Amino acid sequence: MGFNQLAESDELILGEALERQQVLETVINNSPVMAFLWAPDKKWPAKYVSENVTQLEYSAEDFLTGRIIYSDIVHSEDIDRVRKELTRCCEAGNDSFVQRYRVLTGKREIRWVEEKTFIQRDKTGNVTNFQGIVRDITQEIKNEKALKDALQSQKALMEKQKALLERQKVLEAVINNSPMVVFLWKAEKYWPTLYVSENVRQFGYVPEDFISGKVLYGKIIHPEDLLLVELELEENCEEGGKEFNRQYRILTQTADVRWIDEKTFIQRNEEGKVTHFQGIIEDITRSMKRA
């Protein structure tokens, strides 16, 4: 093989290598990943940097000419941590280094990046280069923070709900072990029930009777007392009253007559319209008989 043939062969190999390099650089420069080759110096001067470093508002020339040194763009609060971890990896004989930290763009904006670097060594084990890829993860960090904040808010809400449920259980236990029956009625005809305490069973009913609408509270008020209760409550509401107090008779599930004392708080919306009645009734049959 002659000299010319060798030269042609070398040129062909060189041409193929340059073509592959162009393909690789095109791929890198059209990706979010920035490629660096740093000298193992404290400030990490760049031997090579991909053109897409422009996403940090710098040019490749800024780094290659030494006008910008990579360590100078690492956030001042992160630089010591990054240096210590890289030194540890080098001294431990590690082949790679992964770290997240903040950098300052050419416009002095703060961005989060993730660096994955391969530590290159010579035959004696001395570090010769840091071959790194740097990726802007600012949006990921924001998303992670938003998710963390949402989870913390959810956790706080769940803890609050748990505390409320525990207090509710305590209050219900107190109520259900007392003679007082608690109701929450809609301000509608015959007072449909939204809530009633378990101890309504003392009148032969179960809470579901009222909550399902099967039994309307107004329908268990004695027929001879119902009209008077309705009129007095209506008058109280129209006059802007906040409370209603009345003694009257009700019918148990077995149609027995009981005297009760009702104390009700009248609830209104922002416009002042009556929306609910929060009532407490107490069986006073025995005291009425003694009287």
Side-chain angles (χ1 to χ4, degrees):
M1 183 180 293
F3 177 78
N4 289 337
Q5 288 178 312
L6 286 172
E8 288 176 3
S9 176
D10 288 343
E11 286 180 5
L12 181 61
I13 293 171
L14 179 60
E16 290 176 349
L18 287 172
E19 186 176 342
R20 284 197 298 271
Q21 179 181 325
Q22 288 174 351
V23 170
L24 290 172
E25 287 186 341
T26 299
V27 170
I28 290 172
N29 290 327
N30 285 281
S31 77
V33 174
M34 295 164 278
F36 282 88
L37 182 65
W38 294 295
D41 184 89
K42 186 178 181 181
K43 286 183 170 291
W44 311 310
K47 295 181 178 181
Y48 169 83
V49 58
S50 55
E51 291 291 335
N52 63 345
V53 75
T54 53
Q55 63 187 282
L56 295 180
E57 313 293 347
Y58 299 107
S59 68
E61 186 181 359
D62 287 334
F63 291 95
L64 296 176
T65 61
R67 188 162 55 243
I68 300 292
I69 303 297
Y70 190 80
S71 65
D72 291 341
I73 77 168
V74 179
H75 197 286
S76 59
E77 294 178 7
D78 297 343
I79 185 68
D80 287 343
R81 169 173 60 83
V82 175
R83 277 201 178 109
K84 286 178 182 178
E85 180 61 17
L86 179 57
T87 299
R88 186 194 67 79
C89 289
C90 291
E91 292 177 350
N94 294 353
D95 295 327
S96 61
F97 163 80
V98 180
Q99 192 68 267
R100 287 182 167 191
Y101 52 86
R102 291 164 292 179
V103 297
L104 299 176
T105 69
K107 293 182 178 179
R108 312 313 289 171
E109 295 174 346
I110 296 175
R111 302 269 187 89
W112 276 93
V113 298
E114 180 178 72
E115 176 193 330
K116 293 182 179 179
T117 288
F118 300 96
I119 301 169
Q120 299 179 337
R121 292 179 168 83
D122 59 21
K123 293 180 180 180
T124 61
N126 294 318
V127 176
T128 56
N129 293 296
F130 298 125
Q131 182 180 340
I133 52 176
V134 176
R135 184 168 63 92
D136 187 336
I137 59 168
T138 306
Q139 191 57 49
E140 290 179 30
I141 293 292
K142 288 180 179 178
N143 293 342
E144 288 173 6
K145 184 179 184 304
L147 178 60
K148 183 179 179 181
D149 290 344
L151 290 173
Q152 287 178 339
S153 296
Q154 184 180 24
K155 182 180 178 181
L157 179 60
M158 290 177 67
E159 289 176 351
K160 186 176 181 180
Q161 288 175 334
K162 182 180 178 181
L164 287 172
L165 287 172
E166 289 175 352
R167 285 198 293 271
Q168 181 180 325
K169 287 178 181 178
V170 171
L171 290 171
E172 287 183 342
V174 171
I175 291 168
N176 291 324
N177 285 284
S178 76
M180 308 290 188
V181 180
V182 175
F183 277 91
L184 180 62
W185 297 297
K186 291 181 182 179
E188 298 174 7
K189 183 71 173 177
Y190 296 128
W191 310 298
T193 301
L194 293 175
Y195 171 82
V196 59
S197 53
E198 285 286 337
N199 59 346
V200 75
R201 295 174 187 273
Q202 63 187 280
F203 299 121
Y205 302 104
V206 297
E208 186 60 24
D209 289 338
F210 292 96
I211 294 171
S212 67
K214 178 182 175 182
V215 177
L216 293 172
Y217 185 78
K219 290 290 188 178
I220 73 168
I221 296 178
H222 196 287
E224 295 177 6
D225 297 343
L226 178 59
L227 182 59
L228 187 60
V229 172
E230 286 179 323
L231 290 174
E232 190 170 328
L233 178 58
E234 184 178 352
E235 181 181 356
N236 200 312
C237 291
E238 290 177 352
E239 292 177 353
K242 295 182 179 179
E243 298 180 9
F244 169 74
N245 188 205
R246 179 78 186 173
Q247 294 179 351
Y248 55 85
R249 293 165 292 177
I250 64 170
L251 301 175
T252 68
Q253 196 272 337
T254 56
D256 291 335
V257 176
R258 300 277 185 90
W259 276 93
I260 61 103
D261 180 56
E262 177 189 332
K263 293 179 181 178
T264 287
F265 299 95
I266 301 169
Q267 298 181 344
R268 291 178 167 82
N269 60 20
E270 292 180 355
E271 288 75 35
K273 182 181 178 181
V274 176
T275 57
H276 299 88
F277 300 121
Q278 184 178 339
I280 301 172
I281 67 170
E282 180 182 5
D283 188 340
I284 57 169
T285 306
R286 289 184 180 178
S287 61
M288 292 296 287
K289 286 179 178 180
R290 286 198 296 270

